[in-house]
Amino acid sequence: MNAETTISSQSANEERRTHQPNQDRALTDLADQEQASPGEPAVYPLSFAQERMWLVDRLRPGSPVYNVICAWDIRGTVAHTALEESLDDVLQRHGALRTQFQETSEGLTQQIVACDLPLRVFDLRKVAQPERSIQRDAILHDAASSSFDLRNPPWLRAVLVHLAADEHVLLVVMHHIASDGWSTGILARDLSLAYASRARGLAPVWPALPLHYPAFSVWQRKHLSGTGFSEKISYWRDRLQGLVPLDLPTDRRRPAVQGDQGGTVSFAIPPELEAALNVTARTHRVTLYMLMLAALQVLLARYSGQNDIAVGSPVSGRKRREHEDLMGFFVNTVVMRGDLSGNPPFRELLSRTRGLVLDALDYQDVPFEKLVEELRPGRDLARHPLVQVVFALQNLPAADLVLDNLHCDRRSIRNGTSKFDLFLAMLPSADGLKGVIEYDVNLFDEVTVRHMVEHWVMVLRSIVADQDQPIELISMLPDKEKRVLTEQWADTRTSYPRDATVHGLFESMVMTRPDAGALLFEGGRLTYAELDAQAAALSSRLRQAGCITGKVVGILLDRSPDLVVAMLAVLKSGAICMPLDAAHPLTRLLMQIEDSGAQVIMTSVSLKPLLEENALELVCVDLVRKDQGFKGAHE
């Protein structure tokens, strides 16, 4: 998954905010300002999202994690010049794609500058299969994964690959600092309109944009100042107080610094389950987004053992009419902090979720970047701040390309990156809900993520069947996994060799794998051969002391490698082990020794004083080991 998916969730349609006339006036003034000085480019501050994107790029330069990728398979004869001119038309129309970012004494600034857009063309028509497909995939992956230099616009590049006279692939890559997923729909729409004109030798005619994105940056900073902004920050400060990171079980230890390598798992929600989910949502007066968010938080709670679950949810950030046709970085991440304490019925959790979503959307104007800056969560380079899991039920404008006399289909291209531990995106389609999980490959294996998907689908099925069940009783195991747990793993019956002994089985391992590790202790290691040699030497010492078959040998040792050696030595000698606990009173130890008839006690130099005043033969295991020149597992 790439940045195009980190966009609006269905929650964007649930907002309850209304237009404010004075803010409309502010935008109009900025639009007039843009037109007032055409000779000298206006200089603007960066939006909060752009500012953080710039700083992230300074920390991790050259990362493709914020590339926004669009690609289409095209059939038909492409008018090459018309396509190149159309792409340039889009670039000239949207100032966000050709802004120059600069670091000045007054801070970060941006201004719209003149840029050209060269279309890179690769002709593979003469390359035979399967090499042609291999080269195509390599070209597309290289273009999708190549980084942008944030000092040099434009923030859009395009590649056209010719595969046959009537078969092509068009790839367009934008940087997130100047676009978002909503922008991909605008790109497809404007490119289609421009191509329709350019193919006829005409310049495109489209309505003038009310303003460019850089003017929005000014409006945002003015809007988020004063008492209104303080009130919103206070809400989030109270709402997120005491939030701790989500601690999911991972396949590997979390690295000290979060990486950006990612993998994806695609899946589908069957149409019949989607229909049942919609019915359940309507019954409880919640949206499908709220229902699926609550189900996801149930899954995360079961995985983590936590009942305070924060999930990020991207919203479009385009609450004003003036923003709808602009390319730019508007998307914002809202923190949905769920309270699953008290093991409530799922019905009650749905009610809680509805309230938290509506409240959060009332305060969604606060940019996530500003929220992190104000709340100052504990600095941790290993995790994304505030949220580690993000969920989106998307309702983006379709990025369908419609070119005259051509057939265009979306092509999915991944660049192998991930910004979060997990990013779950759902997209409605004619065939039911389609889903994709982008995951951090430094933390999870693909098979683990696929199991998560199976468990989440089972949670959805369980809540459709019964919304009154307590959330801790909601089943998340598919039937095949239940059978493994209840039948295969629970069946502990097995056949053991009736005539074999423990030390005999151990000696067979010595014969087959002498150099394999048999005993680990405090970073030390004994192989099967080393452990057998030490036990054999100690067994010989016991036989010298009269310990033969049927005799009892006491073992007074701390838990250590010497204890293992001692037990194995007793078994080799044919005697019987009687463990003694040094923490017990001396009178109890002497009673055990007397009742057993043991005459020989294996112990250590440090424990020897406990019994040396009694008429017993004491064999110090550590002294025997040193006399024989053996090393301990911890040495």
Side-chain angles (χ1 to χ4, degrees), residues 318-556:
R318 297 168 184 263
K319 297 183 61 178
R320 317 205 63 78
R321 290 186 299 270
E322 294 84 354
H323 303 160
E324 292 178 359
D325 292 328
L326 291 181
M327 284 196 187
F329 190 0
F330 291 93
V331 65
N332 190 30
T333 301
V334 177
V335 182
M336 303 295 182
R337 184 180 187 181
D339 176 13
L340 285 74
S341 61
N343 190 27
F346 187 76
R347 178 191 304 273
E348 180 182 331
L349 178 63
L350 267 183
S351 178
R352 295 182 190 181
T353 303
R354 182 178 187 275
L356 83 88
V357 169
L358 293 178
D359 286 348
L361 291 176
D362 274 344
Y363 294 89
Q364 65 173 286
D365 288 348
V366 179
F368 184 84
E369 297 75 19
K370 194 65 176 174
L371 192 60
V372 173
E373 178 185 324
E374 293 286 336
L375 299 184
R376 298 183 182 277
R379 181 177 176 84
D380 187 353
L381 297 179
R383 304 173 190 269
H384 192 277
L386 298 181
V387 294
Q388 292 76 52
V389 176
V390 172
F391 171 63
L393 179 58
Q394 298 174 351
N395 61 342
L396 300 178
D400 295 330
L401 193 61
V402 182
L403 304 181
D404 283 6
N405 302 315
L406 300 172
H407 182 77
C408 306
D409 291 316
R410 287 293 300 271
R411 169 183 279 266
S412 177
I413 295 180
R414 314 293 182 189
N415 63 1
T417 62
S418 176
K419 292 176 284 297
F420 302 93
D421 291 2
L422 297 170
F423 184 106
L424 170 59
M426 302 300 302
L427 181 66
S429 73
D431 301 324
L433 285 170
K434 303 296 184 183
V436 61
I437 291 187
E438 177 185 280
Y439 62 93
D440 187 340
V441 298
N442 293 309
L443 300 177
F444 302 103
D445 292 330
E446 179 180 337
V447 65
T448 300
V449 178
R450 290 193 180 277
H451 283 153
M452 287 184 184
V453 171
E454 292 179 354
H455 293 161
W456 188 51
V457 172
M458 280 304 304
V459 169
L460 293 174
R461 291 188 182 280
S462 297
I463 62 178
V464 164
D466 182 5
Q467 297 94 58
D468 290 322
Q469 58 185 317
I471 59 175
E472 291 182 4
L473 297 182
I474 293 175
S475 175
M476 69 177 196
L477 297 181
D479 289 341
K480 62 179 181 180
E481 198 168 340
K482 285 182 181 178
R483 286 194 295 271
V484 170
L485 292 174
T486 60
E487 298 176 14
Q488 296 181 23
W489 289 4
D491 186 3
T492 58
R493 292 173 298 177
T494 189
S495 299
Y496 292 97
R498 292 184 176 275
D499 299 328
T501 61
V502 172
H503 60 283
L505 293 173
F506 176 82
E507 288 165 356
S508 67
M509 288 295 296
V510 176
M511 296 293 293
T512 57
R513 302 178 63 194
D515 297 325
L519 194 152
L520 302 176
F521 183 74
E522 294 182 351
R525 177 178 182 269
L526 287 180
T527 66
Y528 278 99
E530 291 171 335
L531 180 55
D532 185 64
Q534 293 191 25
L538 187 58
S539 176
S540 177
R541 174 69 179 82
L542 291 176
R543 284 193 292 270
Q544 294 174 9
C547 297
I548 57 176
T549 301
K551 293 291 185 176
V552 176
V553 177
I555 301 178
L556 182 66

Side-chain angles (χ1 to χ4, degrees), residues 185-244:
I186 299 173
L187 168 70
R189 182 200 64 194
D190 287 359
L191 183 57
S192 300
L193 291 172
Y195 186 85
S197 298
R198 292 296 181 182
R200 294 169 176 76
L202 303 173
V205 177
W206 38 36
L209 294 174
L211 73 162
H212 287 297
Y213 180 86
F216 161 77
S217 302
V218 177
W219 171 83
Q220 183 190 55
R221 290 180 177 273
K222 289 183 177 179
H223 175 56
L224 297 179
S225 60
T227 56
F229 178 66
S230 298
E231 176 191 346
K232 293 177 180 180
I233 283 293
S234 295
Y235 166 82
W236 286 113
R237 185 175 288 111
D238 293 341
R239 186 77 185 87
L240 302 180
Q241 183 178 11
L243 179 64
V244 298

Side-chain angles (χ1 to χ4, degrees), residues 19-62:
H19 289 291
Q20 299 182 21
N22 61 323
Q23 294 170 3
D24 286 328
R25 181 68 256 169
L27 284 169
T28 302
D29 291 343
L30 288 168
D32 292 342
Q33 177 185 339
E34 284 191 328
Q35 305 299 326
S37 54
E40 184 70 23
V43 177
Y44 301 89
L46 275 63
S47 68
F48 292 113
Q50 285 180 313
E51 190 174 74
R52 183 168 183 269
M53 191 69 64
W54 174 272
L55 295 176
V56 167
D57 185 76
R58 298 279 73 79
L59 292 172
R60 297 161 66 182

Side-chain angles (χ1 to χ4, degrees), residues 178-190:
S179 65
D180 54 21
W182 188 287
S183 299
T184 64
I186 299 173
L187 168 70
R189 182 200 64 194
D190 287 359

Side-chain angles (χ1 to χ4, degrees), residues 555-558 580-586 589 607 610:
I555 301 178
L556 182 66
L557 290 167
D558 294 324
L580 299 169
D581 190 340
H584 288 172
L586 178 59
L589 292 176
L607 294 178
L610 289 177

